[in-house]
Amino acid sequence: MEREAVVQSAPQQPMNERPSFLVLHGEMTAAIVSGILIVIGWFLMNQDYSEFGIGSFILAYVIGGFAKAKEGIEETIKEKELNVEMLMLLAAIGSAIIGYWLEGALLIFIFALSGALETYTMNRSERELTSLMELQPEEATVLYEGKEKTVSLPNIKKGDILLIKPGERVPLDGTILSGQTSIDQAAITGEAVPVFKEIGNEVYAGTVNVNGAVTVEVTKPAQDTLFQKIITLVQQAQNEKSPSQLFIEKFESVYVKAVLIIVALMMFLPHFLLDWSWTETFYRAMILLVVASPCALVAAITPASLSAISYGARHGILFKNGLHLERLAHLEAIAFDKTGTLTKGTPAVTDVITREGVSEEEFLYIVASIERYSHHPLAQSIVQHAQSKITKELKQPEQLEDVPGFGVIGSLNNQEIKIGKREFFKKEAHAFCPNLSESFATEGKTVVYAKDDQGIIGMIALKDMVRSEAKEAISVLNELGIKTVMLTGDSEKTASAISKECSVENYIAGCLPEEKVTHVKTLKQTHETVAMVGDGINDAPALAHANIGIAMGEGTDVALETADIVLMKNNLSKIAQAVKLSKKMNAIIKQNIIFSISIIVLLICSNFLQFLDLPLGVIGHEGSTILVILNGLRLLKN
């Protein structure tokens, strides 16, 4: 019952074009109609209208079996290999030849029903992709020389200016140039509460502008947006096959040939060796043809795999293919980058210490007035913090000089102000709250000092804050018995502080990109499956060398393309969730395989011992297939 994923054509469909009823429900409708015709045929046969009853059964054959017969014949011609569909077709025809019209029709009906369930699984997976696609508008309002013009997304270029009104979806990734609003980002980041956005903030395609008109400069064309990457990754995962699926496909080909050879022998040998009648011999051969077909075995993996991929996509975990979804269950060690992965990647002010006689507000006003003209990340964080704490407008410095590697020198109210790291001030900085400075360093904080004519005015401690979910995520991974390691280019003190805060088992500081690769390779020597989590260009080599590369959704394009799994919501707790999902999927697949093989063996033995009649053989074989598919569908809700 191998099928090509129906999602392959989805991205080419217009976003507002919905599949027809027949496309979505054709197989299930055919199966139901086939079932009704079987009931009618059975009733007519019991009323001695055998000719009309047989006619009803023939219609049930044609309507219920057309899709499967067409699929089987086309696949056989294309691949030059017999398949399960052809086995079922031959079994149904054989049943009719020996006068078991009802049994043959039941075989077609249950086979069609199991196929419809499998198609439902794939359509459900496709709907996850379609629902994503519908979030992105097809057109946007572009401002050309102050005039509004409606333009289709493929024709909008990087640098174009968009007008996004309240209630409209953001069509493309961009940066706000004017206005302020709240953006509902639930579709991309999973945040339940709309996020306030103002000039300079980024907005993402597929999100909703809640309450204010804004103009946005496009930073990425339609094909490169974060939203489009989600769609591409989901589609790619749906069309890829796991190792188990590939193995079953190869096994199916060999198994089908073996079954046909055994059935052919079964048509003659029992008559001569066991003294069965020709009728009994052919009858048992037909039952063997039915019960030995590996329908349930073939259906053991695909529905479960697609269901798990769909569940992951709905919860912000994108698997690029089934291989890594299956492999994740065997994860033994995981290495994390620090900046942008365990931490938010942007420093935040944690402490402000001033000398006696200087208020915190006055100190922040002086420092921010000078630092707001610097592009250094620390300077921007200080300015942002100051603007949230003080009310008066910052003043423009009379003079500003950048001192590379140390800080800046500015002039404010005709007074020279020096701002920078400790080494910029020599002994004066060392003497200012020395115990506190050492404490900040131990905690992994960076300290910025400011000095005027009278000496050190104060100091500001900043820290790249650990993600709120990081500690919990690491704790769960440790509980699962997975070794956790942090690889960072930061100093020993910073690495030690962050690793303790996150409860990471081990850390390695001062790592260059190539050294991260070396450490990942070392982990692979002692652990069967190793994952690497990162977000930057410098993490890409390690992501590629790990057994499983995991990228943060807001990471660089290189990291996203190199990784095997993407956490679209940047939520590290999703890693443990993905591991549990993989374990559950593998457990369900094992259950399905053991169950389907057991049923096949039981039915074959019962047939040889002449305990099994064709109706029970049909129900046992196709019923097991339906149960296997339904078991796999459980993963849609996890």
Side-chain angles (χ1 to χ4, degrees):
M1 301 198 354
E2 179 61 32
R3 307 173 63 85
E4 290 297 325
V6 293
V7 296
Q8 287 178 335
S9 61
Q12 282 72 41
Q13 294 177 354
M15 291 177 195
N16 57 357
E17 183 180 317
R18 292 183 175 274
S20 66
F21 178 86
L22 279 178
V23 171
L24 289 175
H25 308 291
E27 285 192 57
M28 185 61 75
T29 303
I32 292 171
V33 171
S34 174
I36 294 171
L37 287 169
I38 290 171
V39 173
I40 294 171
W42 172 80
F43 177 79
L44 291 171
M45 293 291 280
N46 282 305
Q47 297 298 319
D48 294 328
Y49 294 106
S50 58
E51 292 180 359
F52 293 104
I54 291 174
S56 184
F57 288 141
I58 291 173
L59 281 175
Y61 269 64
V62 173
I63 294 173
F66 176 78
K68 286 294 180 184
K70 180 175 180 289
E71 181 182 332
I73 292 169
E74 288 178 349
E75 192 69 22
T76 298
I77 293 171
K78 179 182 176 182
E79 302 293 336
K80 297 181 175 57
E81 293 278 359
L82 288 169
N83 48 51
V84 176
E85 284 79 6
M86 292 304 295
L87 279 187
M88 289 296 95
L89 185 61
L90 292 172
I93 293 171
S95 299
I97 289 173
I98 60 176
Y100 286 84
W101 288 96
L102 174 61
E103 288 76 4
L106 280 173
L107 177 63
I108 291 293
F109 165 68
I110 303 177
F111 193 54
L113 182 61
S114 64
L117 283 173
E118 189 174 357
T119 300
Y120 166 79
T121 308
M122 294 181 177
N123 284 341
R124 177 69 181 265
S125 184
E126 180 187 6
R127 285 198 296 273
E128 301 295 342
L129 178 60
T130 304
S131 62
L132 281 174
M133 295 174 68
E134 289 175 348
L135 294 177
Q136 188 171 31
E138 297 179 1
E139 299 176 328
T141 302
V142 182
L143 295 178
Y144 289 113
E145 298 178 355
K147 295 181 179 180
E148 299 179 17
K149 183 178 180 181
T150 302
V151 181
S152 61
L153 293 195
N155 295 323
I156 298 176
K157 305 181 297 296
K158 180 179 178 180
D160 284 348
I161 309 300
L162 307 181
L163 173 62
I164 306 174
K165 300 174 184 177
E168 291 183 345
R169 284 198 178 274
V170 178
L172 297 167
D173 290 4
T175 304
I176 294 179
L177 292 180
S178 66
Q180 57 185 26
T181 185
S182 293
I183 299 288
D184 181 354
Q185 300 187 152
I188 300 296
T189 65
E191 294 168 285
V193 180
V195 179
F196 177 74
K197 300 279 185 176
E198 57 185 350
I199 296 173
N201 291 155
E202 286 186 311
V203 293
Y204 302 110
T207 57
V208 180
N209 181 18
V210 178
N211 56 15
V214 291
T215 60
V216 173
E217 181 181 358
V218 176
T219 55
K220 293 178 182 177
Q223 66 272 19
D224 293 333
T225 62
L226 177 63
F227 182 81
Q228 187 59 43
K229 284 172 186 170
I230 297 175
I231 294 175
T232 302
L233 290 173
V234 174
Q235 181 198 9
Q236 184 178 347
Q238 289 171 331
N239 292 329
E240 290 285 346
K241 296 172 183 175
S242 69
S244 297
Q245 286 174 276
L246 295 172
F247 171 77
I248 290 294
E249 285 182 24
K250 292 178 182 178
F251 173 79
E252 177 192 347
S253 175
V254 176
Y255 185 85
V256 167
K257 292 175 186 175
V259 167
L260 288 176
I261 292 171
I262 294 171
V263 168
L265 293 174
M266 183 78 173
M267 289 182 179
F268 302 99
L269 292 182
H271 175 73
F272 297 107
L273 299 179
L274 303 175
D275 203 25
W276 290 1
S277 66
W278 281 113
T279 302
E280 179 72 8
T281 301
F282 191 76
Y283 179 64
R284 292 296 163 190
M286 289 303 98
I287 295 177
L288 178 63
L289 186 59
V290 172
V291 302
S293 300
C295 298
L297 189 58
V298 172
I301 297 172
T302 303
S305 179
L306 284 176
S307 297
I309 288 171
S310 294
Y311 179 88
R314 287 201 314 276
H315 293 81
I317 311 165
L318 300 185
F319 301 95
K320 288 190 177 179
N321 58 50
L323 166 64
H324 303 103
L325 171 57
E326 194 172 297
R327 182 183 283 172
L328 198 60
H330 308 291
L331 185 64
E332 292 185 357
I334 183 166
F336 292 89
D337 167 52
K338 180 186 77 71
T339 307
T341 301
L342 290 175
T343 65
K344 294 179 180 180
T346 53
V349 174
T350 59
D351 303 273
V352 177
I353 311 297
T354 64
R355 75 185 177 205
E356 189 176 347
V358 178
S359 68
E360 180 178 327
E361 185 174 343
E362 182 184 355
F363 175 54
L364 288 173
Y365 171 77
I366 294 170
V367 174
S369 292
I370 294 174
E371 289 281 43
R372 70 170 173 163
Y373 293 97
S374 171
H375 295 291
H376 194 284
L378 293 178
Q380 293 175 357
S381 295
I382 291 171
V383 173
Q384 186 177 2
H385 177 77
Q387 289 176 330
S388 69
K389 294 290 185 180
I390 60 180
T391 54
K392 61 181 180 180
E393 188 176 346
L394 300 177
K395 187 177 181 180
Q396 182 176 349
E398 294 97 27
Q399 187 179 350
L400 190 65
E401 178 188 353
D402 182 38
V403 183
F406 289 95
V408 294
I409 299 175
S411 179
L412 201 66
N413 297 327
N414 296 318
Q415 186 177 32
E416 184 181 86
I417 306 293
K418 293 176 67 177
I419 303 171
K421 59 184 183 179
R422 179 187 292 193
E423 289 75 13
F424 197 18
F425 305 95
K426 300 180 181 177
K427 294 181 180 180
E428 288 179 292
H430 287 274
F432 188 81
C433 301
N435 294 333
L436 200 54
S437 298
E438 289 300 322
S439 175
F440 287 157
T442 303
E443 294 172 15
K445 296 178 181 179
T446 301
V447 181
V448 173
Y449 295 85
K451 174 181 176 293
D452 61 9
D453 295 341
Q454 301 175 43
I456 299 295
I457 312 172
M459 63 182 182
I460 301 173
L462 302 97
K463 185 179 180 181
D464 185 3
M465 303 301 290
V466 170
R467 292 183 183 274
S468 58
E469 75 281 359
K471 186 174 181 178
E472 180 184 352
I474 299 296
S475 176
V476 174
L477 289 170
N478 289 336
E479 288 174 7
L480 290 172
I482 299 170
K483 180 180 177 64
T484 53
V485 181
M486 183 179 74
L487 305 177
T488 177
D490 272 345
S491 66
E492 175 72 22
K493 286 185 177 180
T494 300
S496 176
I498 297 296
S499 67
K500 286 178 182 177
E501 188 172 348
C502 293
S503 300
V504 175
E505 291 181 40
N506 192 17
Y507 69 88
I508 301 172
C511 288
L512 296 173
E514 58 269 24
E515 291 173 329
K516 288 185 179 182
V517 172
T518 302
H519 292 302
V520 166
K521 288 181 177 179
T522 302
L523 282 172
K524 288 171 69 176
Q525 292 173 3
T526 54
H527 299 83
E528 179 187 351
T529 305
V530 175
M532 171 69 194
V533 189
D535 72 313
I537 294 174
N538 62 329
D539 299 319
L543 290 172
H545 280 82
N547 299 115
I548 304 170
I550 304 174
M552 306 295 279
E554 292 181 0
T556 62
D557 289 348
V558 174
L560 291 174
E561 289 168 9
T562 306
D564 308 305
I565 300 172
V566 178
L567 307 177
M568 294 312 304
K569 299 173 185 177
N570 292 325
N571 191 339
L572 290 173
S573 65
K574 296 295 181 182
I575 297 175
Q577 187 176 353
V579 172
K580 293 176 181 178
L581 178 64
S582 177
K583 288 179 182 291
K584 188 166 186 178
M585 184 196 75
N586 286 353
I588 285 177
I589 288 173
K590 287 178 183 177
Q591 292 167 11
N592 287 346
I593 291 173
I594 292 171
F595 175 73
S596 58
I597 291 176
S598 299
I599 292 295
I600 289 173
V601 171
L602 178 63
L603 293 176
I604 289 175
C605 292
S606 299
N607 181 44
F608 273 108
L609 295 173
Q610 297 179 292
F611 294 157
L612 188 70
D613 291 330
L614 186 56
L616 288 176
V618 169
I619 294 170
H621 177 267
E622 293 303 325
S624 65
T625 303
I626 291 174
L627 288 175
V628 160
I629 293 173
L630 291 175
N631 194 35
L633 286 175
R634 289 194 296 127
L635 284 168
L636 286 172
K637 294 185 178 180
N638 197 23

